[in-house]
Amino acid sequence: MIPLKSVEVELEVRDHVATVVSTLNYENKEDKPLEAVFVFPMPGDAAVCHFSATIGQTQIVAEVKEKQKAREEYDDALSSGQQAFLLEESDQSPDIFSLSVGSLPPGESASIRLEYVTELAVQADEGLRFCLPAVLNPRYHPQGSAGGSVQVTSVPTSLVPYSLSFSARVSSPRPVSKVESNCPLDPLEYLNTEQSQATVKLAAGHKFDRDVELLIYYKDAHQPTAVVEAGQTSAKSGTLMGDPVVMLSLYPEFPKAVMSSLASCGEFVFLLDRSGSMQRDRIKSARDTLLLLLKSLPMGCFFNIYSFGSSHEHIFPKSVEYNQETMEEALKKVGEMEANLGGTEILRPLKDIYSHACIPKQPRQLFVFTDGEVGNTKEVINLVKKNSGSHRCFSFGIGEGASSALINGLAKEGGGHAQFITGTDRMQPKVMQSLRFALQPAVMDISVKWDLPKEVSVTVLSPPITTLFQGQRSLIYAQLTGQSPEAAEGSVTVKYSLAGHPSQNKLHFSLKPAEDSGLTIHRLAARTLIRSLEMEEMERRGQPDEGVKKKVVELSVQSGVSSAFTAFIAVKKGNGETIQGPLVRRNVPTLMPMMAMCGGGASGGQMMGMTRSMSRSTPMCPGSFQRRSSNCSLDIEPQQPPRDPLLQLVSLQKASGCWELDPALAAAVGKTSEEENKEVWATILALIWLHGFKMDAQEEWELLAMKAVSWLRAQNAPCVTECVEAGNTLLGCKVQKDALGI
């Protein structure tokens, strides 16, 4: 008998901060006392800030205590017949929590309330992403590492014995444009005429068989903002919880002159997960994405491709210069890649990559693709942090259940950007967005200067900003100590050097605390500080720093926010009888791992018995690049399987940016067979086709089209205007020469 009956989730979004309240309802229908254990995923950067239990008419609010003390108190309570509840974060990864509901008597019901706050990440299309993880993938533990001890029963989706209800309320200073989801939603309901407040619910009957993802769109989402939150009245002045805290959201605007020319150098290292869980659509989508990436790289850069599972491989012994020969060799090997390397040993290939010295004047850009199933998350992130001065890291979580702690942690500590590809999302647009970031000039000498009234001092709680990208948000939390005058204002100025030119962005803000903001910002600030201290402790592995651990425990207890070294404990005091012998333990089941059903899995390591769900990418439609009124086409190697027409065209582009034309098409359009004319004509024809038929996928081909335009300009061909006119006629398009950029 499974004691978990239902899960209710209420989401409140204020601008780009979310508060999530989950209620889990348990009932013991057996004839003996039970202990129920539920292991579940959580957003990796969430701050768990409230945990309580209701039994009958009695509510018990949990306290945050040092983890070992909390565990001992829980065990003592159970052995003496009392009811107890324990919530703790996994030692290996901050996005896994376990909830133990102890000594639930026969016929008794219990309701568990769990609350956390989290920042919402900004997507490439300016949407804010909230994800309620439903799926907890098996976590691969490298050989010799300490595996997880919690085992969880898995069942097929149709047999998951508990239901989910989900509702959301969204409010912002700006109008809410729309809310989208990967799951069916009831219609969005606006609560005011300004459309700045709205509610939405998950449609009835949702099976909770995948992560619930919401994308929230505001008008003018990229406006810098500052929110000052009043401290807790019961907390001592001068402490984090007692003083006001400000949260700054900065969106740097770079000079247009600098942004018009993307970098033409760099060392691009691609690290691809080829473990068993990447089978079928995932590995195919990854291969197609690597095709686009390789075609979009600038001439003169360097690159290499690593892939990993239980072991790891590389295409070249070290990064090589990008040209036609090396590109073709890489693409041939990419086309042969399968998800056949077993487990998920990501630490070893990272160490291999970092063992190679950086190439002078070629900034290293690392792209990591994984479904995020590792148990040594903290160790991996710490390695990236140690090498953060030598590269930028861009990470991609593939499919439901990818570890948000791993994906976000890699990008945050590596000074890059994180993306998640779930459901029917196409991987290519998101990856190409990150490539644009990687091609942006590196921002140097970043500094933050505060200008506040003399009565107010500032303590910055966030780690120093080490990276800035055009249009991407940077968050800063700071504690404000001292009394500010009425209607006082402050400002913060971010200064930096971009492509050798000094630049700055300034934000003015009111020091008056926002009304009804609760302690959300304080808790997020505490979480930020806790995570920084935990990373500091990680760097001393082998030499534990008790001072840092003590600081984390004190801050966690003071703020009521969970950490790696603390846990929530609640005990219902009563006249319970001492229990003889062990309690009956019931592991609450979650979804059946799909890899178990289709033969995938890991080797050479340990697996925790958790759950997995596979997502399917949109299938590629077969076809060929061809003109409307002719049966001639660009040559496609006969051994290639049918592909998306866009990817077929992209596969034919040369490293220099041009396309070549086969003699049959040259004769059909009445052009000469001179080599330079053939290439100019074919390149213009390809660009017209992209603009005429594939504008909906412009994000995917924009960079390789820019490379083609650069190549055309360098040719100084006299026939460009005539070729554009002829190409439009041939393809039945009306694309203007200016639109092509030539």
Side-chain angles (χ1 to χ4, degrees):
M1 300 288 288
I2 303 305
L4 180 62
K5 306 308 292 180
S6 64
V7 180
E8 301 161 16
V9 179
E10 296 175 5
L11 167 69
E12 181 172 1
V13 177
R14 293 190 179 188
D15 212 3
H16 54 253
V17 171
T19 302
V20 184
V21 177
S22 297
T23 305
L24 294 87
N25 298 304
Y26 290 86
E27 182 182 1
N28 181 7
K29 290 188 175 181
E30 299 192 35
D31 58 3
K32 56 183 78 68
L34 286 183
E35 180 186 21
V37 179
F38 185 39
V39 177
F40 56 96
M42 186 83 78
D45 53 0
V48 179
C49 54
H50 177 88
F51 175 51
S52 61
T54 302
I55 304 120
Q57 301 300 311
T58 307
Q59 185 187 42
I60 322 156
V61 178
E63 298 176 69
V64 179
K65 296 188 177 181
E66 192 275 327
K67 187 177 278 188
Q68 191 55 40
K69 287 181 181 176
R71 287 172 175 171
E72 290 170 3
E73 190 173 326
Y74 176 79
D75 290 339
D76 289 346
L78 295 198
S79 62
S80 61
Q82 294 173 325
Q83 291 170 319
F85 308 86
L86 182 70
L87 179 71
E88 57 183 320
E89 180 183 306
S90 160
D91 292 332
Q92 282 82 33
S93 183
D95 64 345
I96 303 175
F97 275 73
S98 65
L99 169 61
S100 301
V101 178
S103 194
L104 200 59
E108 188 79 87
S109 295
S111 179
I112 308 295
R113 180 185 167 98
L114 171 68
E115 183 176 329
Y116 66 86
V117 291
T118 186
E119 303 158 356
L120 300 185
V122 184
Q123 300 301 287
D125 63 357
E126 300 190 357
L128 294 170
R129 179 180 184 265
F130 168 77
C131 182
L132 177 68
V135 179
L136 184 56
N137 280 352
R139 296 295 159 113
Y140 178 87
H141 293 269
Q143 286 183 332
S145 71
S149 58
V150 180
Q151 297 293 318
V152 177
T153 309
S154 300
V155 298
T157 305
S158 59
L159 298 181
V160 172
Y162 47 87
S163 60
L164 168 77
S165 65
F166 176 87
S167 62
R169 180 187 175 106
V170 181
S171 60
S172 170
R174 298 174 291 279
V176 180
S177 302
K178 59 181 176 177
V179 176
E180 296 178 344
S181 177
N182 63 330
C183 303
L185 295 175
D186 287 343
L188 186 70
E189 292 184 24
Y190 288 106
L191 302 178
N192 59 2
T193 53
E194 297 83 10
Q195 297 191 341
S196 61
Q197 295 182 17
T199 60
V200 69
K201 290 182 180 179
L202 203 59
H206 179 66
K207 292 289 187 184
F208 210 15
D209 57 348
R210 74 199 85 157
D211 294 355
V212 178
E213 186 179 65
L214 279 192
L215 293 173
I216 301 160
Y217 296 86
Y218 301 129
K219 290 181 181 172
D220 303 319
H222 278 188
Q223 293 298 311
T225 58
V227 179
V228 178
E229 182 177 78
Q232 198 171 17
T233 51
S234 59
K236 187 179 176 183
S237 182
T239 65
L240 170 61
M241 299 307 288
D243 283 345
V245 169
V246 60
M247 179 178 70
L248 301 173
S249 304
L250 304 174
Y251 294 89
E253 288 295 325
F254 296 167
K256 288 183 180 178
V258 177
M259 294 307 300
S260 62
S261 58
L262 293 173
S264 58
C265 62
E267 179 196 7
F268 296 87
V269 181
F270 305 108
L271 178 57
L272 175 64
D273 189 341
R274 287 174 57 194
S275 61
S277 54
M278 286 285 293
Q279 285 184 2
R280 299 185 179 180
D281 289 347
R282 291 187 187 183
I283 194 67
K284 181 183 184 301
S285 183
R287 287 195 300 260
D288 291 341
T289 300
L290 282 171
L291 165 68
L292 278 171
L293 282 167
L294 288 173
K295 294 291 185 174
S296 301
L297 291 180
M299 290 291 283
C301 75
F302 287 72
F303 79 103
N304 202 354
I305 300 173
Y306 288 73
S307 55
F308 67 95
S310 302
S311 59
H312 70 276
E313 302 174 357
H314 46 65
I315 289 182
F316 305 105
K318 62 179 183 179
S319 293
V320 296
E321 188 171 353
Y322 175 77
N323 55 39
Q324 185 65 26
E325 183 182 350
T326 55
M327 182 191 77
E328 285 180 352
E329 184 178 349
L331 283 173
K332 182 174 183 293
K333 292 182 178 177
V334 166
E336 297 166 354
M337 285 182 176
E338 297 293 344
N340 56 1
L341 293 185
T344 315
E345 286 265 17
I346 193 172
L347 201 62
R348 289 178 185 172
L350 282 172
K351 286 179 177 177
D352 191 349
I353 290 166
Y354 295 140
S355 71
H356 295 278
C358 292
I359 302 167
K361 298 184 180 178
Q362 301 283 349
R364 180 174 285 171
Q365 317 280 358
L366 175 62
F367 285 64
V368 180
F369 302 86
T370 180
D371 48 10
E373 303 168 5
V374 297
N376 56 343
T377 301
K378 292 181 180 178
E379 196 177 352
V380 172
I381 292 171
N382 190 44
L383 178 65
V384 171
K385 182 179 181 181
K386 281 183 178 177
N387 291 275
S388 59
S390 65
H391 77 309
R392 293 192 287 195
C393 181
F394 299 86
S395 54
F396 305 88
I398 302 169
E400 279 82 1
S403 166
S404 61
L406 177 68
I407 303 305
N408 287 327
L410 288 173
K412 186 173 183 179
E413 299 301 338
H417 184 64
Q419 302 263 25
F420 289 87
I421 298 107
T422 59
T424 57
D425 285 353
R426 278 175 62 81
M427 188 185 297
Q428 291 85 346
K430 294 190 175 187
V431 174
M432 298 310 292
Q433 170 72 21
S434 290
L435 180 59
R436 285 186 198 87
F437 288 154
L439 290 169
Q440 285 183 18
V443 176
M444 312 291 288
D445 305 322
I446 303 169
S447 66
V448 179
K449 182 185 176 185
W450 296 78
D451 186 7
L452 300 169
K454 61 184 179 186
E455 301 89 350
V456 180
S457 61
V458 63
T459 304
V460 178
L461 306 171
S462 304
I465 298 176
T466 56
T467 181
L468 288 174
F469 294 114
Q470 166 77 18
Q472 278 300 300
R473 183 183 68 199
S474 295
L475 281 177
I476 300 175
Y477 295 97
Q479 179 180 339
L480 303 175
T481 305
Q483 292 294 318
S484 59
E486 284 294 318
E489 280 201 345
S491 70
V492 64
T493 305
V494 181
K495 294 185 176 181
Y496 50 88
S497 174
L498 184 65
H501 301 287
S503 191
Q504 67 177 46
N505 294 135
K506 192 170 187 176
L507 174 63
H508 293 270
F509 60 93
S510 168
L511 291 176
K512 183 182 178 183
E515 295 179 9
D516 302 325
S517 57
L519 291 168
T520 303
I521 292 170
H522 280 74
R523 286 164 175 159
L524 287 171
R527 182 61 160 168
T528 299
L529 194 50
I530 285 169
R531 280 284 176 254
S532 297
L533 288 167
E534 286 173 349
M535 287 300 296
E536 197 177 314
E537 203 273 339
M538 270 289 296
E539 290 171 11
R540 292 180 171 86
R541 275 289 158 94
Q543 299 177 348
D545 188 327
E546 289 301 319
V548 173
K549 183 176 176 180
K550 185 180 177 184
K551 270 190 210 173
V552 171
V553 172
E554 286 176 356
L555 184 56
S556 178
V557 171
Q558 179 199 36
S559 63
V561 168
S562 63
S563 75
F565 306 125
T566 54
F568 281 92
I569 174 72
V571 177
K572 182 186 179 187
K573 307 294 184 185
N575 300 319
E577 298 178 6
T578 303
I579 292 177
Q580 302 299 317
L583 279 171
V584 177
R585 187 178 177 119
R586 291 286 183 260
N587 288 344
V588 178
T590 43
L591 302 182
M592 176 78 76
M594 184 164 268
M595 282 297 100
M597 293 187 278
C598 57
S603 60
Q606 307 158 17
M607 269 303 185
M608 290 174 65
M610 298 179 187
T611 69
R612 163 179 311 184
S613 168
M614 281 279 285
S615 65
R616 301 228 181 274
S617 302
T618 305
M620 299 298 181
C621 54
S624 63
F625 170 72
Q626 60 184 15
R627 65 188 181 110
R628 288 185 168 181
S629 55
S630 170
N631 60 1
C632 54
S633 65
L634 293 174
D635 280 335
I636 306 292
E637 292 89 342
Q639 70 270 22
Q640 285 187 335
R643 292 176 103 168
D644 181 305
L646 172 61
L647 293 175
Q648 282 188 285
L649 176 65
V650 169
S651 69
L652 295 169
Q653 189 184 27
K654 300 296 180 182
S656 63
C658 73
W659 275 265
E660 289 183 348
L661 195 66
D662 68 53
L665 187 51
V669 298
K671 290 292 175 184
T672 66
S673 60
E674 294 174 16
E675 192 65 33
E676 60 271 19
N677 279 348
K678 283 169 59 180
E679 290 183 346
V680 167
W681 165 245
T683 303
I684 290 173
L685 198 61
L687 287 171
I688 291 172
W689 187 85
L690 289 171
H691 283 82
F693 300 107
K694 287 293 176 182
M695 285 302 289
D696 59 332
Q698 186 177 10
E699 283 184 327
E700 299 179 35
W701 54 258
E702 190 173 34
L703 288 175
L704 59 89
M706 286 171 63
K707 191 161 69 165
V709 169
S710 296
W711 178 87
L712 277 171
R713 286 175 179 164
Q715 306 310 304
N716 290 319
C719 59
V720 170
T721 301
E722 293 84 350
C723 284
V724 171
E725 291 174 358
N728 275 311
T729 301
L730 180 70
L731 295 175
C733 298
K734 295 180 180 179
V735 179
Q736 299 298 311
K737 179 182 169 185
D738 289 347
L740 298 175
I742 52 179

